[in-house]
Amino acid sequence: MLKIDHREKNGDCRMTLTGQLDSTTAVELDNTLQLILPKTESLTIDCTRLAYVSSAGLRVLLSTSKTLSARKGLVLTDLTDPVKHILEVTGMTGFFTIR
Amino acid sequence: MPDQEKLLHIVLLHSNDIHGDFEETDRDGLKTGGLPLLSGYLQRVRREEKEVIYAIAGDMFMGSIIDREYRGLSTIKLTNALAPDVFEVGNHEVDYGLSHLLFLEKCADFPVICSNMYIKELNRRLFLSHVDIVRDGVKIRFIGLLTESIAERIRQEEIVDSSVSVRSAFGELGKVFEELKNDPADLTILLTHLGIEEDKPLAERLDPDWGVDFIIGGHSHTFLTEPVRSGRAPIVQAGFGSGQIGRFDLTWDREAGKLSDWTWQLVPVNEETSEEDPLVSFYHDRFREETNRKYDQTLFSTAAVYTHPGFHRETQLGDLFSDIYQEIYRVDVFFLSTNVIWAKELGPEVTRRDLMISFPYENAVYEMTMSGERLLALIRHIYRREAWEGANIFFLFSRALKLCIEGADRAVKEASLAGEPVSSRREVRVGITGYAYKNRKTFLGILPEEESDAVRFRRLSVNDREDMESWLSGCGTLTLSDEGRLRTVS
């Protein structure tokens, strides 16, 4: 299960993910991002309540980061320990902007 | 029942013999292949179609420095990102040793099958014989088969090697169907790594009661434009590498409980059919950067570009590396087979990458101790006429030895070691690689009854390439000397 909340103002979008970003919910997130990214300059994802990210989820985040790299970029904030661990193990902590 | 409910569409994708083909290339002006694009195609089909299966028919390993550097672990990680539903063991999957393969299997997120590889004494399979994949109620069974020629390749671990056997594919297939006779599948696919010339007779011998629907093959690197229909099941194969992928579009009739239609095509994987998967791209880039950092450093240099133009003659690289082996292992003479060296030329700057490409296989090293007379007999054997004509592997040797071979019969006219006749030496220590040691009867003419008496063996090393890297990294600039050590006169 994944709950996706987002609000956008002047091209800056703030998104909150609650639950698990796995192979099923990654599709939902991807579909949401396909709709909002065309008008987004920067995206901040609050991960305070994101319990888990699978490789499918990482794929969506990487793709989003790539799309926004030519604009203001993607930032992940307040990672939970399990998500932090996944990013460390996959070597992605240096790739994403994390606050 | 309406058609949409009656008919189920399943897409079955397959690859084989990818052999570390991780990087895209340019083919007719299009970015083609590489794992990011291959994975991108898989992701695209998985988004477009409801039911998708991806099968790999062996030999993901070898063929890239990244794979060799991480001894297959990088390949497993990248393959995990491709997310195959089933993987059949290929002959190159054992190149890092069976024990290592079993470790890598534990790292895989996908099932690994091979029905005909056994632990002899226990009569137990090393891997699953088959896997059943269910798509919307349809059970599709994949049975794995591997070529028996793998037996030659299990070479690194003596205890494991002698305990494992590869049984006849057809014989084992009968056994599997007997075991599964009370658990039928809706579709049965043989996922083989036999080569198309073995798949064809297999297809012809299939028992119709087994109900084999298709054979998805590998090993022979065969590109097909349409399935081969020479027996009881169509055979397909997807060439080799990551530049294309085989695709079945299957139509299953739920009412009739059978396949009502199918098509097959070989789909090119390029920037027109696919977009790069950012996840696979990320992993691959990381492995590549780490490997490049290590492998693009200069390891040593040579005084000139040295060449290795052929197998059955003295060559500069053959001379140079025989001398290096003699130095490293401190034997009186080293015999190095010319087929160990893959490079056509090296130098003047030689990187780790160059060395790895030039010496792709790691060998053990052995010392043989024998009398001068026995060495002379060995020399006569390895330089007999047939060896020059390609019937035997061809040896070059380090500079301490000088030979003159005469006439069409290739008689040994002169043989001196460190300036003295070979025959006058009471005892000589001779170095050879593990490949020559394992084939010592054929290649060197050493009979079993001679061992431990006339010819004594001792293993000096388990990994010649590691020893070479270590020695070469401190040696500076190497200059070849004593060319013309193997003279032929008419």
Side-chain angles (χ1 to χ4, degrees):
Chain A
M1 274 271 297
L2 182 73
K3 188 160 171 277
I4 306 168
D5 294 308
H6 62 93
R7 37 192 176 86
E8 180 268 337
K9 189 177 176 184
N10 300 327
D12 294 324
C13 181
R14 187 165 183 93
M15 180 178 280
T16 302
L17 299 178
T18 304
Q20 311 226 33
L21 184 52
D22 56 29
S23 51
T24 309
T25 58
V27 176
E28 293 169 33
L29 177 61
D30 194 38
N31 290 340
T32 305
L33 288 167
Q34 295 298 320
L35 293 171
I36 67 177
L37 280 180
K39 3 185 221 347
T40 300
E41 285 294 309
S42 74
L43 174 62
T44 302
I45 299 182
D46 181 344
C47 303
T48 313
R49 286 186 283 274
L50 182 62
Y52 168 76
V53 176
S54 75
S55 57
L58 291 174
R59 186 175 270 123
V60 174
L61 294 176
L62 278 169
S63 177
T64 305
S65 178
K66 203 173 153 190
T67 303
L68 291 175
S69 63
R71 305 174 211 167
K72 288 186 186 166
L74 166 69
V75 176
L76 306 176
T77 68
D78 301 302
L79 302 182
T80 55
D81 284 346
V83 173
K84 212 180 289 182
H85 176 71
I86 288 163
L87 293 187
E88 277 165 11
V89 158
T90 55
M92 289 188 189
T93 43
F95 183 84
F96 291 110
T97 304
I98 296 171
R99 296 204 186 118
Chain B
M1 194 189 277
D3 273 354
Q4 298 100 304
E5 287 179 24
K6 183 178 151 185
L7 299 176
L8 175 67
H9 180 222
I10 301 170
V11 175
L12 169 51
L13 302 168
H14 62 94
S15 302
N16 58 277
D17 298 276
I18 290 182
H19 282 304
D21 187 23
F22 299 162
E23 307 257 354
E24 69 197 27
T25 54
D26 184 293
R27 206 184 278 178
D28 302 324
L30 276 178
K31 268 195 329 187
T32 299
L35 287 196
L37 275 179
L38 178 64
S39 186
Y41 182 80
L42 292 166
Q43 297 309 314
R44 181 187 138 192
V45 175
R46 286 168 176 152
R47 278 194 306 270
E48 291 171 353
E49 305 287 343
K50 198 158 168 276
E51 307 297 347
V52 180
I53 299 172
Y54 178 44
I56 298 179
D59 277 8
M60 279 296 286
F61 291 175
M62 299 305 272
S64 92
I65 283 179
I66 294 175
D67 179 82
R68 292 196 66 86
E69 174 64 9
Y70 293 94
R71 299 180 74 77
L73 198 51
S74 53
T75 303
I76 288 290
K77 190 164 189 175
L78 289 164
T79 311
N80 280 344
L82 299 182
D85 296 282
V86 59
F87 182 105
E88 152 62 39
V89 174
N91 52 304
H92 281 286
E93 263 72 59
V94 297
D95 279 1
Y96 301 117
L98 264 176
S99 306
H100 192 76
L101 173 60
L102 292 170
F103 161 71
L104 291 176
E105 191 209 1
K106 293 298 175 203
C107 301
D109 292 339
F110 45 86
V112 176
I113 62 172
C114 177
S115 65
N116 57 328
M117 209 163 169
Y118 273 81
I119 303 170
K120 287 190 282 205
E121 276 183 23
L122 302 177
N123 196 31
R124 189 181 295 164
R125 292 188 178 104
L126 266 177
F127 301 98
L128 300 170
S129 62
H130 71 285
V131 96
D132 292 338
I133 295 168
V134 180
R135 288 285 183 266
D136 202 352
V138 178
K139 187 198 282 186
I140 303 161
R141 174 164 293 157
F142 289 85
I143 300 173
L145 290 166
L146 172 62
T147 174
E148 288 164 78
S149 68
I150 196 178
E152 300 161 13
R153 305 194 68 84
I154 305 174
R155 55 191 172 87
Q156 293 188 21
E157 304 150 296
E158 287 180 27
I159 291 173
V160 174
D161 294 356
S162 61
S163 304
V164 170
S165 68
V166 182
R167 299 185 183 174
S168 135
F170 182 77
E172 196 55 28
L173 202 53
K175 194 163 170 242
V176 171
F177 280 107
E178 181 59 28
E179 288 164 3
L180 297 173
K181 66 183 176 195
N182 296 324
D183 180 22
D186 295 308
L187 282 171
T188 299
I189 295 170
L190 304 187
L191 190 63
T192 74
H193 197 82
L194 300 171
I196 199 146
E197 295 307 321
E198 280 194 47
D199 285 327
K200 285 178 191 168
L202 181 69
E204 278 158 21
R205 293 174 70 190
L206 291 174
D207 187 329
D209 290 340
W210 292 348
V212 173
D213 295 282
F214 303 105
I215 298 176
I216 295 177
H219 189 54
S220 53
H221 297 196
T222 307
F223 284 85
L224 296 171
T225 51
E226 55 181 32
V228 170
R229 297 173 197 258
S230 71
R232 294 206 162 91
I235 303 164
V236 296
Q237 196 172 139
F240 68 93
S242 55
Q244 62 291 318
I245 188 166
R247 173 172 175 153
F248 280 100
D249 283 86
L250 307 171
T251 306
W252 178 263
D253 186 323
R254 293 183 212 272
E255 254 180 19
K258 62 177 188 174
L259 207 55
S260 64
D261 193 18
W262 63 272
T263 60
W264 182 84
Q265 57 177 314
L266 194 62
V267 176
V269 171
N270 56 40
E271 57 187 318
E272 284 182 352
T273 59
S274 168
E275 274 182 19
E276 281 191 6
D277 176 352
L279 182 68
V280 172
S281 216
F282 176 83
Y283 287 144
H284 176 244
D285 286 349
R286 260 190 74 216
F287 286 129
R288 185 177 52 193
E289 277 158 26
E290 286 176 25
T291 309
N292 286 351
R293 209 174 305 131
K294 178 177 174 186
Y295 281 91
D296 289 342
Q297 295 171 5
T298 297
L299 186 59
F300 68 102
S301 44
T302 57
V305 174
Y306 294 132
T307 63
H308 188 64
F311 283 160
H312 297 94
R313 53 197 281 190
E314 182 179 353
T315 71
Q316 291 175 324
L317 285 182
D319 285 352
L320 182 71
F321 281 97
S322 305
D323 293 346
I324 290 169
Y325 272 71
Q326 182 184 324
E327 282 293 315
I328 294 172
Y329 298 108
R330 297 174 194 262
V331 291
D332 295 316
V333 62
F334 202 100
F335 283 91
L336 191 68
S337 59
T338 54
N339 64 349
V340 158
I341 306 170
W342 285 37
K344 291 278 186 276
E345 60 179 46
L346 271 183
E349 298 300 316
V350 183
T351 62
R352 263 195 177 81
R353 183 189 303 276
D354 294 331
L355 189 71
M356 187 168 255
I357 291 169
S358 305
F359 289 84
Y361 289 103
E362 294 156 358
N363 287 284
V365 175
Y366 287 80
E367 174 192 89
M368 306 186 285
T369 306
M370 60 183 72
S371 65
E373 282 290 346
R374 185 58 188 87
L375 175 58
L376 193 56
L378 183 146
I379 290 168
R380 288 194 186 106
H381 178 86
I382 66 179
Y383 292 109
R384 66 197 189 284
R385 193 182 61 219
E386 293 83 10
W388 296 82
E389 294 161 2
N392 204 29
I393 63 165
F394 198 79
F395 286 93
L396 295 174
F397 46 85
S398 50
R399 69 167 81 91
L401 185 65
K402 302 285 189 289
L403 294 183
C404 180
I405 308 291
E406 182 180 41
D409 286 341
R410 306 293 186 178
V412 177
K413 186 179 174 199
E414 286 166 30
S416 66
L417 186 63
E420 296 174 359
V422 165
S423 53
S424 71
R425 291 284 292 258
R426 205 163 61 84
E427 192 175 86
V428 185
R429 289 173 308 114
V430 180
I432 54 171
T433 62
Y435 182 54
Y437 171 75
K438 286 203 172 199
N439 295 279
R440 54 197 179 276
K441 188 178 168 192
T442 317
F443 294 170
L444 307 175
I446 294 174
L447 302 174
E449 51 267 30
E450 294 185 85
E451 294 183 30
S452 80
D453 183 22
V455 182
R456 298 190 310 280
F457 287 94
R458 188 165 73 105
R459 189 167 64 187
L460 300 178
S461 170
V462 296
N463 190 324
D464 59 350
R465 207 177 62 232
E466 261 183 28
D467 297 336
M468 256 206 291
E469 274 195 37
S470 177
W471 191 89
L472 287 166
S473 64
C475 75
T477 302
L478 292 177
T479 305
L480 175 62
S481 64
D482 295 88
E483 284 185 80
R485 56 187 75 168
L486 176 61
R487 287 189 303 122
T488 54
V489 297
S490 48

